[in-house]
Amino acid sequence: MLCEKCKKNNASVFYEENINGKGRSYALCQTCAEELKKSGELPSENLFESFGFSSPITQLHDSLFGSLFSLGEQSMHLNAPKSCSACGSTLRDLQKNGKAGCGECYKTFSSELEPTIRSIHGNARHTGRVPEAYREKHARYNEIKMLRQELKDAISKEDFEKAATLRDKIKELENNK
Amino acid sequence: MAWYNKIGNDFDTVISSRVRFARNISGYPFASKLSGEGAKEIISKVSDVYLGEGFTKIDFSDITNTEAASYVEKRYVSREFAIKKTPHALLMNETTGSAIMICEEDHIRLQSILPGLALNEAYKIACQYDDLLDRALEISYDEKLGYLTHCPTNLGTGMRASVMMFLPALTMADRIGVLASQLSKIGLTIRGMYGEGSETKGCLYQISNQVTLGMTEEETLKKLSDVISQINEQERKLRSSIRGENLERLRDRILRSEGILRYAHMMSSEELAEHFANIRLGIALGITANISYAMLGNILIETLPATLTLSLEENPRGEAERDRARAEYIRKALC
């Protein structure tokens, strides 16, 4: 594979970016990667250079990542005075770093971040392992989800007796929060 | 015994399998906003969970740059972790192939690494240690977003599963680029041995999941395993299609590499990577009968610059001395 920058040498340094859910991979030769480093886009790291590791393209990767939160800028009211009550981060901070300041940031800015999160993962609802403290709640959520599907099926089959039972069951589970 | 000294399933194409979880403790800000004091508290709390479980603690503030770089070479920690200036520590359990980075990008990065194709086994071990954490500390979690992580790319399961593959035939056939673009379409990614941006030395590639939200851990592992078995099939098919003169040329190249490793007195890491790939393929094809996978795996890691430096009585003065020491290590190992 040839280097994408000079198109002469064989590419030996690879990195990927993922912006707005669109992935793209780049391939560079050592010389072009070094040039990027000299121009300041890739700060060098002495520890690893002294052991002959390749230049830390991760730095470039990180700066590309920084734009993760810039997605959906219109919906992110950048001038909003809102800041996270736990760590003091503002939306601007999140956008600048491409990372959240603390767990609370995700709650504070949930509506602004949702489009970004959805575009990264193509989904915005967790499924999988759950900490013990949340297990019961999570199981109830899954059961309600399953019953809703059954209710939909029952209605489409005009089995109203079953639908009524399912509806009551869902209501009961929802009230048990 | 370390993971790189053992052999595993599908070892002709798969070097190792790794599963890691990203976790954070409630009530503390993420790494970029965490104070030195906060980091020390986290290190102490997490260490308390694991120290009775066969883990050893390594405080990275107390070790040299060379020692830190050696942990990176052995794939127990990330480069970012090794060069951090703020308090950070590692918990290691070589018996189960587990390493826990405390105060990396996330407060806790728990990983289990096993030789060969063993994703489910590595996952089971990681879960076992994750349960211990869950019981002892309150983990930052949201019902909708799952495990909350510093970077939004890890939200959800916080799980990155990766398989290190040895793909010389696909590399020779120039198919890695195509493979990379196919993988990115299905939420997987391929990169060099030491993670993002590293060179694809020795035909070694790491294939891992990109998406962590909206898919269960089991679904992710299944998808990755399916893809790995397809890549395995392609690689093996290509290897077995080498015949006639091409096979003779390949045999010549492999045996020359063996000769060089047995007799050379100077060996750079770059040159070794090339011979490593030739000989590893030679073992798979039954051409190099006197060298085992375990011998070669040990050489690959033990002669990496920082790890090699640590094994010497005196620090080598410059690259030439290191290259000489590397050649010597290899000659002895192959005796």
mmCIF file of all heavy atoms in Angstrom, chain B residues 226-270:
data_model
loop_
_atom_site.group_PDB
_atom_site.id
_atom_site.type_symbol
_atom_site.label_atom_id
_atom_site.label_comp_id
_atom_site.label_asym_id
_atom_site.label_seq_id
_atom_site.Cartn_x
_atom_site.Cartn_y
_atom_site.Cartn_z
ATOM 1 N N ASP B 226 -16.661 -14.478 14.468
ATOM 2 C CA ASP B 226 -17.065 -14.860 13.115
ATOM 3 C C ASP B 226 -16.117 -14.281 12.078
ATOM 4 O O ASP B 226 -15.711 -14.958 11.135
ATOM 5 C CB ASP B 226 -18.501 -14.386 12.822
ATOM 6 C CG ASP B 226 -19.534 -15.187 13.601
ATOM 7 O OD1 ASP B 226 -19.139 -16.215 14.197
ATOM 8 O OD2 ASP B 226 -20.708 -14.790 13.631
ATOM 9 N N VAL B 227 -15.785 -12.992 12.264
ATOM 10 C CA VAL B 227 -14.891 -12.336 11.314
ATOM 11 C C VAL B 227 -13.495 -12.969 11.364
ATOM 12 O O VAL B 227 -12.872 -13.208 10.326
ATOM 13 C CB VAL B 227 -14.831 -10.813 11.599
ATOM 14 C CG1 VAL B 227 -13.673 -10.162 10.878
ATOM 15 C CG2 VAL B 227 -16.143 -10.162 11.188
ATOM 16 N N ILE B 228 -13.032 -13.248 12.591
ATOM 17 C CA ILE B 228 -11.701 -13.847 12.736
ATOM 18 C C ILE B 228 -11.659 -15.189 11.995
ATOM 19 O O ILE B 228 -10.696 -15.490 11.288
ATOM 20 C CB ILE B 228 -11.338 -14.068 14.233
ATOM 21 C CG1 ILE B 228 -11.298 -12.747 14.991
ATOM 22 C CG2 ILE B 228 -10.018 -14.833 14.388
ATOM 23 C CD1 ILE B 228 -10.294 -11.744 14.572
ATOM 24 N N SER B 229 -12.726 -15.972 12.117
ATOM 25 C CA SER B 229 -12.679 -17.279 11.460
ATOM 26 C C SER B 229 -12.704 -17.126 9.933
ATOM 27 O O SER B 229 -12.086 -17.909 9.223
ATOM 28 C CB SER B 229 -13.772 -18.214 11.985
ATOM 29 O OG SER B 229 -15.005 -17.841 11.485
ATOM 30 N N GLN B 230 -13.372 -16.078 9.444
ATOM 31 C CA GLN B 230 -13.351 -15.836 7.995
ATOM 32 C C GLN B 230 -11.952 -15.421 7.528
ATOM 33 O O GLN B 230 -11.474 -15.863 6.489
ATOM 34 C CB GLN B 230 -14.334 -14.726 7.640
ATOM 35 C CG GLN B 230 -15.778 -15.205 7.563
ATOM 36 C CD GLN B 230 -16.725 -14.050 7.345
ATOM 37 O OE1 GLN B 230 -16.407 -13.094 6.654
ATOM 38 N NE2 GLN B 230 -17.901 -14.118 7.953
ATOM 39 N N ILE B 231 -11.323 -14.528 8.317
ATOM 40 C CA ILE B 231 -9.967 -14.080 7.955
ATOM 41 C C ILE B 231 -9.004 -15.267 8.004
ATOM 42 O O ILE B 231 -8.158 -15.443 7.123
ATOM 43 C CB ILE B 231 -9.482 -12.941 8.885
ATOM 44 C CG1 ILE B 231 -10.406 -11.725 8.757
ATOM 45 C CG2 ILE B 231 -8.042 -12.549 8.564
ATOM 46 C CD1 ILE B 231 -10.103 -10.594 9.716
ATOM 47 N N ASN B 232 -9.179 -16.095 9.052
ATOM 48 C CA ASN B 232 -8.373 -17.312 9.181
ATOM 49 C C ASN B 232 -8.440 -18.156 7.921
ATOM 50 O O ASN B 232 -7.434 -18.635 7.409
ATOM 51 C CB ASN B 232 -8.968 -18.173 10.302
ATOM 52 C CG ASN B 232 -8.190 -18.015 11.573
ATOM 53 O OD1 ASN B 232 -7.059 -17.548 11.532
ATOM 54 N ND2 ASN B 232 -8.780 -18.382 12.685
ATOM 55 N N GLU B 233 -9.659 -18.338 7.458
ATOM 56 C CA GLU B 233 -9.888 -19.174 6.286
ATOM 57 C C GLU B 233 -9.184 -18.589 5.059
ATOM 58 O O GLU B 233 -8.495 -19.303 4.324
ATOM 59 C CB GLU B 233 -11.394 -19.233 6.036
ATOM 60 C CG GLU B 233 -11.834 -20.434 5.232
ATOM 61 C CD GLU B 233 -13.342 -20.396 5.039
ATOM 62 O OE1 GLU B 233 -14.058 -20.271 6.060
ATOM 63 O OE2 GLU B 233 -13.779 -20.446 3.887
ATOM 64 N N GLN B 234 -9.335 -17.265 4.876
ATOM 65 C CA GLN B 234 -8.694 -16.598 3.729
ATOM 66 C C GLN B 234 -7.176 -16.737 3.793
ATOM 67 O O GLN B 234 -6.519 -17.024 2.798
ATOM 68 C CB GLN B 234 -9.019 -15.103 3.755
ATOM 69 C CG GLN B 234 -10.398 -14.746 3.249
ATOM 70 C CD GLN B 234 -10.583 -13.226 3.262
ATOM 71 O OE1 GLN B 234 -9.655 -12.472 3.025
ATOM 72 N NE2 GLN B 234 -11.792 -12.788 3.567
ATOM 73 N N GLU B 235 -6.633 -16.485 4.989
ATOM 74 C CA GLU B 235 -5.178 -16.542 5.163
ATOM 75 C C GLU B 235 -4.662 -17.964 4.878
ATOM 76 O O GLU B 235 -3.688 -18.156 4.151
ATOM 77 C CB GLU B 235 -4.816 -16.087 6.590
ATOM 78 C CG GLU B 235 -3.372 -16.313 7.017
ATOM 79 C CD GLU B 235 -2.344 -15.407 6.346
ATOM 80 O OE1 GLU B 235 -2.711 -14.320 5.881
ATOM 81 O OE2 GLU B 235 -1.164 -15.827 6.276
ATOM 82 N N ARG B 236 -5.373 -18.966 5.418
ATOM 83 C CA ARG B 236 -4.923 -20.362 5.234
ATOM 84 C C ARG B 236 -5.030 -20.803 3.786
ATOM 85 O O ARG B 236 -4.169 -21.505 3.269
ATOM 86 C CB ARG B 236 -5.736 -21.294 6.139
ATOM 87 C CG ARG B 236 -5.317 -21.182 7.591
ATOM 88 C CD ARG B 236 -6.194 -22.017 8.481
ATOM 89 N NE ARG B 236 -5.854 -21.825 9.884
ATOM 90 C CZ ARG B 236 -6.720 -21.925 10.875
ATOM 91 N NH1 ARG B 236 -7.988 -22.208 10.630
ATOM 92 N NH2 ARG B 236 -6.350 -21.744 12.124
ATOM 93 N N LYS B 237 -6.105 -20.356 3.144
ATOM 94 C CA LYS B 237 -6.322 -20.698 1.743
ATOM 95 C C LYS B 237 -5.178 -20.152 0.898
ATOM 96 O O LYS B 237 -4.607 -20.846 0.058
ATOM 97 C CB LYS B 237 -7.641 -20.070 1.281
ATOM 98 C CG LYS B 237 -8.453 -20.918 0.339
ATOM 99 C CD LYS B 237 -9.737 -20.183 0.108
ATOM 100 C CE LYS B 237 -10.748 -20.939 -0.656
ATOM 101 N NZ LYS B 237 -11.994 -20.156 -0.730
ATOM 102 N N LEU B 238 -4.849 -18.871 1.150
ATOM 103 C CA LEU B 238 -3.758 -18.235 0.403
ATOM 104 C C LEU B 238 -2.433 -18.949 0.650
ATOM 105 O O LEU B 238 -1.647 -19.161 -0.261
ATOM 106 C CB LEU B 238 -3.611 -16.781 0.832
ATOM 107 C CG LEU B 238 -4.395 -15.735 0.051
ATOM 108 C CD1 LEU B 238 -4.204 -14.362 0.668
ATOM 109 C CD2 LEU B 238 -3.931 -15.693 -1.403
ATOM 110 N N ARG B 239 -2.197 -19.329 1.930
ATOM 111 C CA ARG B 239 -0.941 -20.016 2.260
ATOM 112 C C ARG B 239 -0.849 -21.338 1.500
ATOM 113 O O ARG B 239 0.204 -21.679 0.977
ATOM 114 C CB ARG B 239 -0.870 -20.314 3.759
ATOM 115 C CG ARG B 239 -0.585 -19.091 4.605
ATOM 116 C CD ARG B 239 -0.456 -19.496 6.065
ATOM 117 N NE ARG B 239 -0.490 -18.338 6.938
ATOM 118 C CZ ARG B 239 -0.385 -18.413 8.261
ATOM 119 N NH1 ARG B 239 -0.241 -19.571 8.850
ATOM 120 N NH2 ARG B 239 -0.419 -17.317 9.006
ATOM 121 N N SER B 240 -1.970 -22.068 1.461
ATOM 122 C CA SER B 240 -1.897 -23.383 0.825
ATOM 123 C C SER B 240 -1.882 -23.275 -0.698
ATOM 124 O O SER B 240 -1.610 -24.251 -1.384
ATOM 125 C CB SER B 240 -3.051 -24.274 1.300
ATOM 126 O OG SER B 240 -4.257 -23.677 0.923
ATOM 127 N N SER B 241 -2.184 -22.068 -1.221
ATOM 128 C CA SER B 241 -2.163 -21.930 -2.682
ATOM 129 C C SER B 241 -0.754 -21.656 -3.208
ATOM 130 O O SER B 241 -0.536 -21.614 -4.419
ATOM 131 C CB SER B 241 -3.113 -20.815 -3.130
ATOM 132 O OG SER B 241 -2.590 -19.577 -2.722
ATOM 133 N N ILE B 242 0.203 -21.450 -2.295
ATOM 134 C CA ILE B 242 1.586 -21.200 -2.749
ATOM 135 C C ILE B 242 2.203 -22.535 -3.178
ATOM 136 O O ILE B 242 2.324 -23.454 -2.373
ATOM 137 C CB ILE B 242 2.437 -20.551 -1.629
ATOM 138 C CG1 ILE B 242 1.720 -19.325 -1.072
ATOM 139 C CG2 ILE B 242 3.831 -20.182 -2.134
ATOM 140 C CD1 ILE B 242 2.335 -18.746 0.185
ATOM 141 N N ARG B 243 2.538 -22.653 -4.470
ATOM 142 C CA ARG B 243 3.056 -23.929 -4.999
ATOM 143 C C ARG B 243 4.230 -23.695 -5.931
ATOM 144 O O ARG B 243 4.568 -22.558 -6.234
ATOM 145 C CB ARG B 243 1.943 -24.637 -5.796
ATOM 146 C CG ARG B 243 0.845 -25.178 -4.901
ATOM 147 C CD ARG B 243 0.041 -26.264 -5.587
ATOM 148 N NE ARG B 243 -1.091 -26.592 -4.729
ATOM 149 C CZ ARG B 243 -2.277 -26.016 -4.791
ATOM 150 N NH1 ARG B 243 -2.512 -25.089 -5.703
ATOM 151 N NH2 ARG B 243 -3.247 -26.355 -3.974
ATOM 152 N N GLY B 244 4.834 -24.777 -6.368
ATOM 153 C CA GLY B 244 5.867 -24.750 -7.415
ATOM 154 C C GLY B 244 7.034 -23.843 -7.083
ATOM 155 O O GLY B 244 7.558 -23.861 -5.966
ATOM 156 N N GLU B 245 7.381 -23.001 -8.063
ATOM 157 C CA GLU B 245 8.550 -22.134 -7.901
ATOM 158 C C GLU B 245 8.347 -21.154 -6.745
ATOM 159 O O GLU B 245 9.273 -20.855 -5.995
ATOM 160 C CB GLU B 245 8.790 -21.385 -9.208
ATOM 161 C CG GLU B 245 10.172 -20.778 -9.266
ATOM 162 C CD GLU B 245 10.337 -19.878 -10.482
ATOM 163 O OE1 GLU B 245 9.878 -20.280 -11.568
ATOM 164 O OE2 GLU B 245 10.910 -18.794 -10.331
ATOM 165 N N ASN B 246 7.110 -20.637 -6.615
ATOM 166 C CA ASN B 246 6.830 -19.686 -5.534
ATOM 167 C C ASN B 246 7.096 -20.299 -4.171
ATOM 168 O O ASN B 246 7.614 -19.652 -3.269
ATOM 169 C CB ASN B 246 5.382 -19.197 -5.599
ATOM 170 C CG ASN B 246 5.189 -18.209 -6.724
ATOM 171 O OD1 ASN B 246 6.159 -17.604 -7.191
ATOM 172 N ND2 ASN B 246 3.949 -18.056 -7.167
ATOM 173 N N LEU B 247 6.721 -21.585 -4.048
ATOM 174 C CA LEU B 247 6.931 -22.276 -2.771
ATOM 175 C C LEU B 247 8.426 -22.442 -2.510
ATOM 176 O O LEU B 247 8.899 -22.274 -1.392
ATOM 177 C CB LEU B 247 6.225 -23.640 -2.791
ATOM 178 C CG LEU B 247 6.293 -24.417 -1.477
ATOM 179 C CD1 LEU B 247 5.645 -23.640 -0.341
ATOM 180 C CD2 LEU B 247 5.609 -25.776 -1.621
ATOM 181 N N GLU B 248 9.185 -22.747 -3.604
ATOM 182 C CA GLU B 248 10.634 -22.888 -3.471
ATOM 183 C C GLU B 248 11.272 -21.581 -3.007
ATOM 184 O O GLU B 248 12.141 -21.549 -2.145
ATOM 185 C CB GLU B 248 11.263 -23.346 -4.804
ATOM 186 C CG GLU B 248 11.206 -24.853 -5.000
ATOM 187 C CD GLU B 248 11.615 -25.627 -3.746
ATOM 188 O OE1 GLU B 248 12.777 -25.486 -3.317
ATOM 189 O OE2 GLU B 248 10.756 -26.344 -3.188
ATOM 190 N N ARG B 249 10.807 -20.473 -3.616
ATOM 191 C CA ARG B 249 11.335 -19.150 -3.235
ATOM 192 C C ARG B 249 11.005 -18.842 -1.776
ATOM 193 O O ARG B 249 11.824 -18.304 -1.039
ATOM 194 C CB ARG B 249 10.717 -18.054 -4.117
ATOM 195 C CG ARG B 249 11.351 -17.972 -5.466
ATOM 196 C CD ARG B 249 10.847 -16.742 -6.223
ATOM 197 N NE ARG B 249 11.081 -16.903 -7.640
ATOM 198 C CZ ARG B 249 12.279 -16.772 -8.204
ATOM 199 N NH1 ARG B 249 13.317 -16.454 -7.456
ATOM 200 N NH2 ARG B 249 12.431 -16.956 -9.495
ATOM 201 N N LEU B 250 9.781 -19.199 -1.384
ATOM 202 C CA LEU B 250 9.354 -18.941 -0.004
ATOM 203 C C LEU B 250 10.195 -19.777 0.965
ATOM 204 O O LEU B 250 10.683 -19.273 1.982
ATOM 205 C CB LEU B 250 7.859 -19.276 0.152
ATOM 206 C CG LEU B 250 7.257 -18.973 1.521
ATOM 207 C CD1 LEU B 250 7.292 -17.473 1.825
ATOM 208 C CD2 LEU B 250 5.808 -19.455 1.594
ATOM 209 N N ARG B 251 10.386 -21.066 0.608
ATOM 210 C CA ARG B 251 11.197 -21.953 1.443
ATOM 211 C C ARG B 251 12.620 -21.374 1.617
ATOM 212 O O ARG B 251 13.167 -21.334 2.710
ATOM 213 C CB ARG B 251 11.290 -23.354 0.789
ATOM 214 C CG ARG B 251 11.952 -24.411 1.673
ATOM 215 C CD ARG B 251 12.204 -25.677 0.886
ATOM 216 N NE ARG B 251 11.010 -26.203 0.240
ATOM 217 C CZ ARG B 251 10.105 -26.985 0.820
ATOM 218 N NH1 ARG B 251 10.272 -27.324 2.084
ATOM 219 N NH2 ARG B 251 9.061 -27.414 0.168
ATOM 220 N N ASP B 252 13.153 -20.868 0.486
ATOM 221 C CA ASP B 252 14.484 -20.278 0.509
ATOM 222 C C ASP B 252 14.515 -19.086 1.469
ATOM 223 O O ASP B 252 15.415 -18.959 2.296
ATOM 224 C CB ASP B 252 14.854 -19.834 -0.916
ATOM 225 C CG ASP B 252 16.213 -19.156 -0.969
ATOM 226 O OD1 ASP B 252 17.212 -19.861 -0.737
ATOM 227 O OD2 ASP B 252 16.257 -17.931 -1.205
ATOM 228 N N ARG B 253 13.491 -18.238 1.363
ATOM 229 C CA ARG B 253 13.444 -17.020 2.192
ATOM 230 C C ARG B 253 13.351 -17.385 3.674
ATOM 231 O O ARG B 253 14.013 -16.807 4.517
ATOM 232 C CB ARG B 253 12.215 -16.209 1.778
ATOM 233 C CG ARG B 253 12.360 -14.743 2.074
ATOM 234 C CD ARG B 253 11.286 -13.965 1.394
ATOM 235 N NE ARG B 253 10.082 -13.939 2.214
ATOM 236 C CZ ARG B 253 8.919 -13.508 1.770
ATOM 237 N NH1 ARG B 253 8.774 -13.105 0.527
ATOM 238 N NH2 ARG B 253 7.894 -13.476 2.563
ATOM 239 N N ILE B 254 12.492 -18.369 3.971
ATOM 240 C CA ILE B 254 12.282 -18.779 5.359
ATOM 241 C C ILE B 254 13.561 -19.354 5.957
ATOM 242 O O ILE B 254 13.986 -18.989 7.052
ATOM 243 C CB ILE B 254 11.121 -19.811 5.433
ATOM 244 C CG1 ILE B 254 9.787 -19.113 5.147
ATOM 245 C CG2 ILE B 254 11.085 -20.527 6.778
ATOM 246 C CD1 ILE B 254 8.616 -20.047 4.871
ATOM 247 N N LEU B 255 14.231 -20.242 5.188
ATOM 248 C CA LEU B 255 15.430 -20.893 5.721
ATOM 249 C C LEU B 255 16.615 -19.929 5.813
ATOM 250 O O LEU B 255 17.450 -20.040 6.699
ATOM 251 C CB LEU B 255 15.763 -22.144 4.908
ATOM 252 C CG LEU B 255 14.709 -23.248 5.082
ATOM 253 C CD1 LEU B 255 14.948 -24.397 4.119
ATOM 254 C CD2 LEU B 255 14.666 -23.762 6.525
ATOM 255 N N ARG B 256 16.654 -18.942 4.890
ATOM 256 C CA ARG B 256 17.687 -17.902 5.009
ATOM 257 C C ARG B 256 17.474 -17.134 6.309
ATOM 258 O O ARG B 256 18.428 -16.832 7.021
ATOM 259 C CB ARG B 256 17.588 -16.907 3.839
ATOM 260 C CG ARG B 256 18.372 -17.320 2.634
ATOM 261 C CD ARG B 256 18.008 -16.416 1.454
ATOM 262 N NE ARG B 256 18.471 -17.016 0.232
ATOM 263 C CZ ARG B 256 19.661 -16.749 -0.288
ATOM 264 N NH1 ARG B 256 20.470 -15.898 0.284
ATOM 265 N NH2 ARG B 256 20.032 -17.353 -1.398
ATOM 266 N N SER B 257 16.205 -16.807 6.603
ATOM 267 C CA SER B 257 15.903 -16.086 7.845
ATOM 268 C C SER B 257 16.371 -16.896 9.050
ATOM 269 O O SER B 257 16.938 -16.355 9.991
ATOM 270 C CB SER B 257 14.401 -15.817 7.965
ATOM 271 O OG SER B 257 14.052 -14.698 7.197
ATOM 272 N N GLU B 258 16.116 -18.216 8.998
ATOM 273 C CA GLU B 258 16.537 -19.065 10.118
ATOM 274 C C GLU B 258 18.061 -19.006 10.271
ATOM 275 O O GLU B 258 18.584 -18.842 11.377
ATOM 276 C CB GLU B 258 16.071 -20.521 9.906
ATOM 277 C CG GLU B 258 16.427 -21.387 11.100
ATOM 278 C CD GLU B 258 16.005 -22.850 10.970
ATOM 279 O OE1 GLU B 258 15.167 -23.171 10.093
ATOM 280 O OE2 GLU B 258 16.529 -23.662 11.752
ATOM 281 N N GLY B 259 18.747 -19.107 9.122
ATOM 282 C CA GLY B 259 20.211 -19.050 9.142
ATOM 283 C C GLY B 259 20.698 -17.739 9.744
ATOM 284 O O GLY B 259 21.592 -17.726 10.596
ATOM 285 N N ILE B 260 20.099 -16.651 9.320
ATOM 286 C CA ILE B 260 20.516 -15.329 9.818
ATOM 287 C C ILE B 260 20.311 -15.250 11.332
ATOM 288 O O ILE B 260 21.200 -14.841 12.074
ATOM 289 C CB ILE B 260 19.760 -14.202 9.074
ATOM 290 C CG1 ILE B 260 20.269 -14.122 7.631
ATOM 291 C CG2 ILE B 260 19.946 -12.856 9.781
ATOM 292 C CD1 ILE B 260 19.466 -13.234 6.719
ATOM 293 N N LEU B 261 19.132 -15.679 11.805
ATOM 294 C CA LEU B 261 18.882 -15.606 13.247
ATOM 295 C C LEU B 261 19.864 -16.484 14.032
ATOM 296 O O LEU B 261 20.285 -16.131 15.116
ATOM 297 C CB LEU B 261 17.446 -16.014 13.583
ATOM 298 C CG LEU B 261 16.330 -15.030 13.214
ATOM 299 C CD1 LEU B 261 15.042 -15.397 13.932
ATOM 300 C CD2 LEU B 261 16.692 -13.589 13.537
ATOM 301 N N ARG B 262 20.221 -17.620 13.464
ATOM 302 C CA ARG B 262 21.123 -18.529 14.184
ATOM 303 C C ARG B 262 22.562 -18.024 14.247
ATOM 304 O O ARG B 262 23.295 -18.353 15.165
ATOM 305 C CB ARG B 262 21.123 -19.920 13.534
ATOM 306 C CG ARG B 262 19.865 -20.726 13.859
ATOM 307 C CD ARG B 262 20.041 -22.179 13.459
ATOM 308 N NE ARG B 262 18.777 -22.897 13.543
ATOM 309 C CZ ARG B 262 18.283 -23.388 14.668
ATOM 310 N NH1 ARG B 262 18.938 -23.233 15.796
ATOM 311 N NH2 ARG B 262 17.124 -24.022 14.670
ATOM 312 N N TYR B 263 22.966 -17.237 13.231
ATOM 313 C CA TYR B 263 24.380 -16.861 13.176
ATOM 314 C C TYR B 263 24.681 -15.368 13.237
ATOM 315 O O TYR B 263 25.835 -14.988 13.399
ATOM 316 C CB TYR B 263 25.026 -17.471 11.922
ATOM 317 C CG TYR B 263 25.019 -18.979 11.978
ATOM 318 C CD1 TYR B 263 24.094 -19.732 11.267
ATOM 319 C CD2 TYR B 263 25.930 -19.636 12.816
ATOM 320 C CE1 TYR B 263 24.059 -21.108 11.359
ATOM 321 C CE2 TYR B 263 25.907 -21.021 12.919
ATOM 322 C CZ TYR B 263 24.971 -21.756 12.183
ATOM 323 O OH TYR B 263 24.947 -23.120 12.297
ATOM 324 N N ALA B 264 23.687 -14.508 13.079
ATOM 325 C CA ALA B 264 23.968 -13.062 13.032
ATOM 326 C C ALA B 264 24.526 -12.556 14.357
ATOM 327 O O ALA B 264 24.215 -13.089 15.421
ATOM 328 C CB ALA B 264 22.690 -12.301 12.685
ATOM 329 N N HIS B 265 25.366 -11.532 14.266
ATOM 330 C CA HIS B 265 25.928 -10.923 15.473
ATOM 331 C C HIS B 265 25.395 -9.523 15.712
ATOM 332 O O HIS B 265 25.723 -8.902 16.715
ATOM 333 C CB HIS B 265 27.461 -10.929 15.413
ATOM 334 C CG HIS B 265 28.031 -12.186 15.990
ATOM 335 N ND1 HIS B 265 28.728 -12.226 17.167
ATOM 336 C CD2 HIS B 265 27.941 -13.473 15.554
ATOM 337 C CE1 HIS B 265 29.064 -13.470 17.438
ATOM 338 N NE2 HIS B 265 28.603 -14.248 16.470
ATOM 339 N N MET B 266 24.631 -9.000 14.767
ATOM 340 C CA MET B 266 23.964 -7.699 14.948
ATOM 341 C C MET B 266 22.533 -7.870 14.441
ATOM 342 O O MET B 266 22.331 -8.390 13.355
ATOM 343 C CB MET B 266 24.626 -6.602 14.109
ATOM 344 C CG MET B 266 26.060 -6.297 14.449
ATOM 345 S SD MET B 266 26.201 -5.293 15.936
ATOM 346 C CE MET B 266 26.008 -3.661 15.293
ATOM 347 N N MET B 267 21.561 -7.420 15.212
ATOM 348 C CA MET B 267 20.174 -7.574 14.756
ATOM 349 C C MET B 267 19.326 -6.404 15.259
ATOM 350 O O MET B 267 19.157 -6.218 16.455
ATOM 351 C CB MET B 267 19.621 -8.904 15.291
ATOM 352 C CG MET B 267 18.194 -9.240 14.913
ATOM 353 S SD MET B 267 17.933 -9.521 13.165
ATOM 354 C CE MET B 267 18.990 -10.935 12.901
ATOM 355 N N SER B 268 18.794 -5.607 14.325
ATOM 356 C CA SER B 268 17.912 -4.505 14.733
ATOM 357 C C SER B 268 16.499 -5.063 14.934
ATOM 358 O O SER B 268 16.183 -6.137 14.433
ATOM 359 C CB SER B 268 17.887 -3.429 13.654
ATOM 360 O OG SER B 268 17.238 -3.931 12.510
ATOM 361 N N SER B 269 15.627 -4.309 15.630
ATOM 362 C CA SER B 269 14.245 -4.789 15.827
ATOM 363 C C SER B 269 13.525 -4.901 14.496
ATOM 364 O O SER B 269 12.720 -5.802 14.295
ATOM 365 C CB SER B 269 13.404 -3.864 16.691
ATOM 366 O OG SER B 269 14.122 -3.217 17.635
ATOM 367 N N GLU B 270 13.814 -3.937 13.595
ATOM 368 C CA GLU B 270 13.123 -3.951 12.294
ATOM 369 C C GLU B 270 13.488 -5.213 11.518
ATOM 370 O O GLU B 270 12.640 -5.865 10.927
ATOM 371 C CB GLU B 270 13.495 -2.714 11.452
ATOM 372 C CG GLU B 270 12.905 -1.418 11.944
ATOM 373 C CD GLU B 270 13.586 -0.914 13.208
ATOM 374 O OE1 GLU B 270 14.781 -1.244 13.438
ATOM 375 O OE2 GLU B 270 12.920 -0.212 13.994
#
